[in-house]
Amino acid sequence: MARTGFCDSKALLDLHKKADERRAPLRTWANACGPIDRFQPVEVEESRTAPVKMEPESRWERRPSTHTSEVLIMGFHEDSRTCKAADCCVEAPVLLYPHGMQGLHSLHTLVPSLLRHEVEIALENLDLIWDRTYAWDMFLDMMRTQMQYSFPNADLPRQFTDATRAILIEWIIQVHELLQFQEETLYLAIHLLNHSLRQLKVSVANLQLLGMVCLFLAAKKEESLLPEVSALCSLMDHTYTKHQLLRMERKVLCALKFDLSFSPPLHFLLLFASVARCSATVVWMARYLLELSLLEAQCVVFLPVQLAGAALCLARQVLQECPTPEGEAAWCLASSIHVGSEPTLLRIMHILASAAAKASSQETCSTFIKYSSPKRLQVSRHPGLNNAAGLLSVYS
């Protein structure tokens, strides 16, 4: 363990063991005692939107951005900072519409109010709000404030590597699954970890302690029931004391200036999926791909809404479900939210496709095992994910 600095926690992590020897406990957790999930796919009424008559030759095409009175609809260009300075042109946003649809001008007028109504219903169904009156304002705030949740680059402090970070996050995922925390807790914990690694001077020997503290802080914000500090120490094989854990907690809070706010990509994903009327299989596949992004260090430079949009698009491409007029119309409405430029989304989709293709053979395979359970529809074992070349050429 001297090479990585992690303690020899026999119950959860042993880097000297082979992957097969570490899979059995997590498989048991994932299949038998998975977390209680508030975000099950929501059944929606068919009457929420009237069927849209589509012409037989309809197909999806890109169109230029159209600005409306709502700055976050059909023209949100905040991600332009991710472009290279040498690029003088503005990248075309990924906004889709059925080619040949009659009355497109009137559609542009209807989309903002229709989308607002759908977003309000989706936020309410997902239990993200208590009063629909403020739903739209909350959504706009989520879109505006997400800029602070990404990093200008993926560089880590010199003593850490991407492999070390992936091993730590793999361990956090195992502990999160064992403690049956909510999914938001996991995303917030990784967000706090990413910030702490760049703002705190932490030795490799204390890296596992930092990961546990980030998970503990996330649980304090998201969970109603918390484990004892002594129980957390036992999960680390008592390598660290309660005093060390609480002292590290104070350091992290001071470094973050007690700011634990975060709009996780999971919320954007579930929101988009609800508006687009995605099936349960598509939602679980997208959630699997989104969780794989946590292990990829290069994904920290992207916005939460970009990660969510790319995961949902890739999930639809992998599953290739039979389209319906109502489903295509709903997807057209969801696509009116500009989540990122086309090159940015394609880059994320390439990263996720590559991660999914090798997930089962990696040492960090907890997410693959977690989503191979019947509760999560065994989406990680879908044969389409194994065809890396096919996935990477989806939009090429």
PDB file of all heavy atoms in Angstrom, residues 66 71-72 78 92 125 133 159 188 193 196 200-202 205 216 220 227 243 281 290 324 328 332 370:
ATOM      1  N   THR A  66     -31.649  30.152 -32.172  1.00  0.00           N
ATOM      2  CA  THR A  66     -32.659  31.198 -32.259  1.00  0.00           C
ATOM      3  C   THR A  66     -32.847  31.788 -30.877  1.00  0.00           C
ATOM      4  O   THR A  66     -33.242  31.086 -29.961  1.00  0.00           O
ATOM      5  CB  THR A  66     -33.999  30.614 -32.754  1.00  0.00           C
ATOM      6  OG1 THR A  66     -33.776  30.017 -34.019  1.00  0.00           O
ATOM      7  CG2 THR A  66     -35.049  31.705 -32.848  1.00  0.00           C
ATOM      8  N   VAL A  71     -33.028  33.726 -21.987  1.00  0.00           N
ATOM      9  CA  VAL A  71     -31.659  33.607 -22.473  1.00  0.00           C
ATOM     10  C   VAL A  71     -31.132  32.189 -22.383  1.00  0.00           C
ATOM     11  O   VAL A  71     -30.137  31.857 -23.004  1.00  0.00           O
ATOM     12  CB  VAL A  71     -30.748  34.538 -21.654  1.00  0.00           C
ATOM     13  CG1 VAL A  71     -31.113  35.975 -21.865  1.00  0.00           C
ATOM     14  CG2 VAL A  71     -30.793  34.182 -20.164  1.00  0.00           C
ATOM     15  N   LEU A  72     -31.785  31.344 -21.619  1.00  0.00           N
ATOM     16  CA  LEU A  72     -31.274  29.993 -21.449  1.00  0.00           C
ATOM     17  C   LEU A  72     -31.938  28.999 -22.372  1.00  0.00           C
ATOM     18  O   LEU A  72     -31.650  27.817 -22.306  1.00  0.00           O
ATOM     19  CB  LEU A  72     -31.476  29.543 -19.990  1.00  0.00           C
ATOM     20  CG  LEU A  72     -30.731  30.395 -18.971  1.00  0.00           C
ATOM     21  CD1 LEU A  72     -31.031  29.915 -17.572  1.00  0.00           C
ATOM     22  CD2 LEU A  72     -29.238  30.330 -19.224  1.00  0.00           C
ATOM     23  N   GLU A  78     -22.905  29.828 -22.806  1.00  0.00           N
ATOM     24  CA  GLU A  78     -21.938  30.019 -21.734  1.00  0.00           C
ATOM     25  C   GLU A  78     -20.717  29.123 -21.887  1.00  0.00           C
ATOM     26  O   GLU A  78     -19.662  29.398 -21.357  1.00  0.00           O
ATOM     27  CB  GLU A  78     -22.607  29.726 -20.378  1.00  0.00           C
ATOM     28  CG  GLU A  78     -23.689  30.720 -20.000  1.00  0.00           C
ATOM     29  CD  GLU A  78     -23.112  32.078 -19.672  1.00  0.00           C
ATOM     30  OE1 GLU A  78     -21.897  32.154 -19.433  1.00  0.00           O
ATOM     31  OE2 GLU A  78     -23.857  33.067 -19.673  1.00  0.00           O
ATOM     32  N   ALA A  92     -21.486  25.837 -33.722  1.00  0.00           N
ATOM     33  CA  ALA A  92     -22.925  25.692 -33.905  1.00  0.00           C
ATOM     34  C   ALA A  92     -23.507  24.851 -32.790  1.00  0.00           C
ATOM     35  O   ALA A  92     -23.030  23.757 -32.522  1.00  0.00           O
ATOM     36  CB  ALA A  92     -23.213  25.024 -35.256  1.00  0.00           C
ATOM     37  N   ASN A 125     -42.402  16.204 -10.436  1.00  0.00           N
ATOM     38  CA  ASN A 125     -42.456  14.735 -10.402  1.00  0.00           C
ATOM     39  C   ASN A 125     -41.195  14.120  -9.814  1.00  0.00           C
ATOM     40  O   ASN A 125     -41.242  13.034  -9.234  1.00  0.00           O
ATOM     41  CB  ASN A 125     -42.689  14.190 -11.813  1.00  0.00           C
ATOM     42  CG  ASN A 125     -44.089  14.474 -12.323  1.00  0.00           C
ATOM     43  OD1 ASN A 125     -45.010  14.707 -11.548  1.00  0.00           O
ATOM     44  ND2 ASN A 125     -44.251  14.473 -13.641  1.00  0.00           N
ATOM     45  N   THR A 133     -44.566  27.049  -8.413  1.00  0.00           N
ATOM     46  CA  THR A 133     -44.483  28.477  -8.725  1.00  0.00           C
ATOM     47  C   THR A 133     -43.041  28.906  -9.002  1.00  0.00           C
ATOM     48  O   THR A 133     -42.784  29.760  -9.857  1.00  0.00           O
ATOM     49  CB  THR A 133     -45.042  29.310  -7.561  1.00  0.00           C
ATOM     50  OG1 THR A 133     -46.370  28.867  -7.266  1.00  0.00           O
ATOM     51  CG2 THR A 133     -45.046  30.793  -7.908  1.00  0.00           C
ATOM     52  N   GLN A 159       1.849  15.081  -7.147  1.00  0.00           N
ATOM     53  CA  GLN A 159       2.002  13.778  -6.506  1.00  0.00           C
ATOM     54  C   GLN A 159       0.860  12.807  -6.815  1.00  0.00           C
ATOM     55  O   GLN A 159       0.932  11.638  -6.473  1.00  0.00           O
ATOM     56  CB  GLN A 159       2.120  13.934  -4.985  1.00  0.00           C
ATOM     57  CG  GLN A 159       0.875  14.474  -4.288  1.00  0.00           C
ATOM     58  CD  GLN A 159       0.870  15.980  -4.199  1.00  0.00           C
ATOM     59  OE1 GLN A 159       1.411  16.656  -5.072  1.00  0.00           O
ATOM     60  NE2 GLN A 159       0.280  16.513  -3.130  1.00  0.00           N
ATOM     61  N   LEU A 188     -22.049  14.727  -5.186  1.00  0.00           N
ATOM     62  CA  LEU A 188     -21.546  15.840  -4.388  1.00  0.00           C
ATOM     63  C   LEU A 188     -20.199  15.490  -3.768  1.00  0.00           C
ATOM     64  O   LEU A 188     -19.292  16.337  -3.714  1.00  0.00           O
ATOM     65  CB  LEU A 188     -22.555  16.200  -3.291  1.00  0.00           C
ATOM     66  CG  LEU A 188     -22.137  17.314  -2.326  1.00  0.00           C
ATOM     67  CD1 LEU A 188     -21.803  18.597  -3.082  1.00  0.00           C
ATOM     68  CD2 LEU A 188     -23.234  17.561  -1.288  1.00  0.00           C
ATOM     69  N   LEU A 193     -14.381  16.366  -3.630  1.00  0.00           N
ATOM     70  CA  LEU A 193     -13.045  15.790  -3.751  1.00  0.00           C
ATOM     71  C   LEU A 193     -12.240  16.501  -4.835  1.00  0.00           C
ATOM     72  O   LEU A 193     -11.056  16.817  -4.633  1.00  0.00           O
ATOM     73  CB  LEU A 193     -13.155  14.295  -4.063  1.00  0.00           C
ATOM     74  CG  LEU A 193     -11.837  13.550  -4.318  1.00  0.00           C
ATOM     75  CD1 LEU A 193     -10.982  13.532  -3.050  1.00  0.00           C
ATOM     76  CD2 LEU A 193     -12.111  12.138  -4.805  1.00  0.00           C
ATOM     77  N   SER A 196     -11.179  19.808  -3.467  1.00  0.00           N
ATOM     78  CA  SER A 196     -10.220  19.693  -2.359  1.00  0.00           C
ATOM     79  C   SER A 196      -8.834  19.314  -2.859  1.00  0.00           C
ATOM     80  O   SER A 196      -7.827  19.798  -2.319  1.00  0.00           O
ATOM     81  CB  SER A 196     -10.724  18.656  -1.349  1.00  0.00           C
ATOM     82  OG  SER A 196     -11.969  19.037  -0.804  1.00  0.00           O
ATOM     83  N   LEU A 200      -6.255  22.012  -1.410  1.00  0.00           N
ATOM     84  CA  LEU A 200      -5.603  21.575  -0.182  1.00  0.00           C
ATOM     85  C   LEU A 200      -4.287  20.878  -0.504  1.00  0.00           C
ATOM     86  O   LEU A 200      -4.166  20.219  -1.543  1.00  0.00           O
ATOM     87  CB  LEU A 200      -6.499  20.595   0.585  1.00  0.00           C
ATOM     88  CG  LEU A 200      -7.577  21.168   1.509  1.00  0.00           C
ATOM     89  CD1 LEU A 200      -8.391  20.029   2.096  1.00  0.00           C
ATOM     90  CD2 LEU A 200      -6.971  22.007   2.620  1.00  0.00           C
ATOM     91  N   LYS A 201      -3.334  21.014   0.365  1.00  0.00           N
ATOM     92  CA  LYS A 201      -2.084  20.255   0.278  1.00  0.00           C
ATOM     93  C   LYS A 201      -2.269  18.968   1.065  1.00  0.00           C
ATOM     94  O   LYS A 201      -2.214  18.955   2.292  1.00  0.00           O
ATOM     95  CB  LYS A 201      -0.919  21.069   0.822  1.00  0.00           C
ATOM     96  CG  LYS A 201      -0.556  22.280  -0.034  1.00  0.00           C
ATOM     97  CD  LYS A 201       0.671  22.993   0.523  1.00  0.00           C
ATOM     98  CE  LYS A 201       1.059  24.177  -0.364  1.00  0.00           C
ATOM     99  NZ  LYS A 201       2.260  24.896   0.160  1.00  0.00           N
ATOM    100  N   VAL A 202      -2.500  17.893   0.339  1.00  0.00           N
ATOM    101  CA  VAL A 202      -2.779  16.600   0.956  1.00  0.00           C
ATOM    102  C   VAL A 202      -1.725  15.607   0.500  1.00  0.00           C
ATOM    103  O   VAL A 202      -1.433  15.510  -0.696  1.00  0.00           O
ATOM    104  CB  VAL A 202      -4.184  16.083   0.578  1.00  0.00           C
ATOM    105  CG1 VAL A 202      -4.477  14.759   1.279  1.00  0.00           C
ATOM    106  CG2 VAL A 202      -5.238  17.118   0.935  1.00  0.00           C
ATOM    107  N   ALA A 205      -0.544   9.681   1.543  1.00  0.00           N
ATOM    108  CA  ALA A 205      -0.929   8.823   2.668  1.00  0.00           C
ATOM    109  C   ALA A 205      -2.285   9.207   3.241  1.00  0.00           C
ATOM    110  O   ALA A 205      -2.975   8.357   3.832  1.00  0.00           O
ATOM    111  CB  ALA A 205       0.135   8.901   3.757  1.00  0.00           C
ATOM    112  N   PHE A 216     -18.467  12.043   3.759  1.00  0.00           N
ATOM    113  CA  PHE A 216     -19.150  12.360   5.008  1.00  0.00           C
ATOM    114  C   PHE A 216     -19.820  13.733   4.926  1.00  0.00           C
ATOM    115  O   PHE A 216     -20.969  13.910   5.355  1.00  0.00           O
ATOM    116  CB  PHE A 216     -18.139  12.313   6.158  1.00  0.00           C
ATOM    117  CG  PHE A 216     -18.753  12.410   7.524  1.00  0.00           C
ATOM    118  CD1 PHE A 216     -19.958  11.793   7.816  1.00  0.00           C
ATOM    119  CD2 PHE A 216     -18.127  13.131   8.531  1.00  0.00           C
ATOM    120  CE1 PHE A 216     -20.525  11.874   9.082  1.00  0.00           C
ATOM    121  CE2 PHE A 216     -18.671  13.227   9.796  1.00  0.00           C
ATOM    122  CZ  PHE A 216     -19.882  12.607  10.067  1.00  0.00           C
ATOM    123  N   LYS A 220     -23.861  14.659   5.043  1.00  0.00           N
ATOM    124  CA  LYS A 220     -24.453  15.624   5.968  1.00  0.00           C
ATOM    125  C   LYS A 220     -25.410  16.567   5.250  1.00  0.00           C
ATOM    126  O   LYS A 220     -26.389  17.036   5.842  1.00  0.00           O
ATOM    127  CB  LYS A 220     -23.352  16.439   6.651  1.00  0.00           C
ATOM    128  CG  LYS A 220     -22.598  15.690   7.736  1.00  0.00           C
ATOM    129  CD  LYS A 220     -21.606  16.601   8.457  1.00  0.00           C
ATOM    130  CE  LYS A 220     -20.959  15.878   9.620  1.00  0.00           C
ATOM    131  NZ  LYS A 220     -20.021  16.757  10.378  1.00  0.00           N
ATOM    132  N   PRO A 227     -23.989   7.846   9.426  1.00  0.00           N
ATOM    133  CA  PRO A 227     -23.249   6.844  10.201  1.00  0.00           C
ATOM    134  C   PRO A 227     -22.407   7.521  11.272  1.00  0.00           C
ATOM    135  O   PRO A 227     -22.087   8.707  11.191  1.00  0.00           O
ATOM    136  CB  PRO A 227     -22.368   6.170   9.147  1.00  0.00           C
ATOM    137  CG  PRO A 227     -22.162   7.229   8.114  1.00  0.00           C
ATOM    138  CD  PRO A 227     -23.428   8.030   8.080  1.00  0.00           C
ATOM    139  N   HIS A 243     -10.193  11.757  15.610  1.00  0.00           N
ATOM    140  CA  HIS A 243      -9.637  13.100  15.677  1.00  0.00           C
ATOM    141  C   HIS A 243      -9.057  13.516  14.322  1.00  0.00           C
ATOM    142  O   HIS A 243      -9.260  14.658  13.882  1.00  0.00           O
ATOM    143  CB  HIS A 243      -8.549  13.166  16.752  1.00  0.00           C
ATOM    144  CG  HIS A 243      -7.864  14.496  16.823  1.00  0.00           C
ATOM    145  ND1 HIS A 243      -8.487  15.639  17.303  1.00  0.00           N
ATOM    146  CD2 HIS A 243      -6.601  14.881  16.459  1.00  0.00           C
ATOM    147  CE1 HIS A 243      -7.643  16.654  17.226  1.00  0.00           C
ATOM    148  NE2 HIS A 243      -6.496  16.226  16.731  1.00  0.00           N
ATOM    149  N   THR A 281     -35.320   2.092 -19.582  1.00  0.00           N
ATOM    150  CA  THR A 281     -34.039   1.532 -20.015  1.00  0.00           C
ATOM    151  C   THR A 281     -33.075   2.628 -20.449  1.00  0.00           C
ATOM    152  O   THR A 281     -31.886   2.590 -20.119  1.00  0.00           O
ATOM    153  CB  THR A 281     -34.266   0.554 -21.183  1.00  0.00           C
ATOM    154  OG1 THR A 281     -35.241  -0.415 -20.813  1.00  0.00           O
ATOM    155  CG2 THR A 281     -32.967  -0.173 -21.523  1.00  0.00           C
ATOM    156  N   LEU A 290     -23.259   8.187 -17.104  1.00  0.00           N
ATOM    157  CA  LEU A 290     -22.939   9.394 -16.334  1.00  0.00           C
ATOM    158  C   LEU A 290     -22.074   9.060 -15.132  1.00  0.00           C
ATOM    159  O   LEU A 290     -21.138   9.803 -14.802  1.00  0.00           O
ATOM    160  CB  LEU A 290     -24.234  10.067 -15.884  1.00  0.00           C
ATOM    161  CG  LEU A 290     -24.093  11.446 -15.236  1.00  0.00           C
ATOM    162  CD1 LEU A 290     -23.493  12.445 -16.222  1.00  0.00           C
ATOM    163  CD2 LEU A 290     -25.444  11.944 -14.743  1.00  0.00           C
ATOM    164  N   THR A 324     -41.260   6.852 -31.938  1.00  0.00           N
ATOM    165  CA  THR A 324     -42.682   7.104 -32.087  1.00  0.00           C
ATOM    166  C   THR A 324     -42.878   8.602 -32.335  1.00  0.00           C
ATOM    167  O   THR A 324     -42.028   9.407 -31.941  1.00  0.00           O
ATOM    168  CB  THR A 324     -43.463   6.698 -30.823  1.00  0.00           C
ATOM    169  OG1 THR A 324     -42.998   7.492 -29.715  1.00  0.00           O
ATOM    170  CG2 THR A 324     -43.251   5.224 -30.506  1.00  0.00           C
ATOM    171  N   GLU A 328     -40.570  11.395 -30.521  1.00  0.00           N
ATOM    172  CA  GLU A 328     -39.709  12.284 -31.289  1.00  0.00           C
ATOM    173  C   GLU A 328     -40.058  13.745 -31.045  1.00  0.00           C
ATOM    174  O   GLU A 328     -39.181  14.603 -31.001  1.00  0.00           O
ATOM    175  CB  GLU A 328     -39.823  11.954 -32.778  1.00  0.00           C
ATOM    176  CG  GLU A 328     -39.295  10.570 -33.157  1.00  0.00           C
ATOM    177  CD  GLU A 328     -37.807  10.436 -32.901  1.00  0.00           C
ATOM    178  OE1 GLU A 328     -37.011  10.777 -33.791  1.00  0.00           O
ATOM    179  OE2 GLU A 328     -37.439   9.987 -31.796  1.00  0.00           O
ATOM    180  N   CYS A 332     -37.599  16.464 -29.434  1.00  0.00           N
ATOM    181  CA  CYS A 332     -37.387  17.755 -30.097  1.00  0.00           C
ATOM    182  C   CYS A 332     -37.530  18.889 -29.089  1.00  0.00           C
ATOM    183  O   CYS A 332     -36.743  19.843 -29.085  1.00  0.00           O
ATOM    184  CB  CYS A 332     -38.382  17.924 -31.234  1.00  0.00           C
ATOM    185  SG  CYS A 332     -38.331  19.535 -32.044  1.00  0.00           S
ATOM    186  N   LYS A 370     -22.273  -2.654 -10.289  1.00  0.00           N
ATOM    187  CA  LYS A 370     -23.442  -1.993  -9.691  1.00  0.00           C
ATOM    188  C   LYS A 370     -24.603  -1.944 -10.683  1.00  0.00           C
ATOM    189  O   LYS A 370     -25.752  -2.207 -10.316  1.00  0.00           O
ATOM    190  CB  LYS A 370     -23.033  -0.579  -9.262  1.00  0.00           C
ATOM    191  CG  LYS A 370     -24.144   0.282  -8.698  1.00  0.00           C
ATOM    192  CD  LYS A 370     -23.569   1.642  -8.314  1.00  0.00           C
ATOM    193  CE  LYS A 370     -24.628   2.613  -7.851  1.00  0.00           C
ATOM    194  NZ  LYS A 370     -24.054   3.933  -7.497  1.00  0.00           N
TER     195      LYS A 370
END
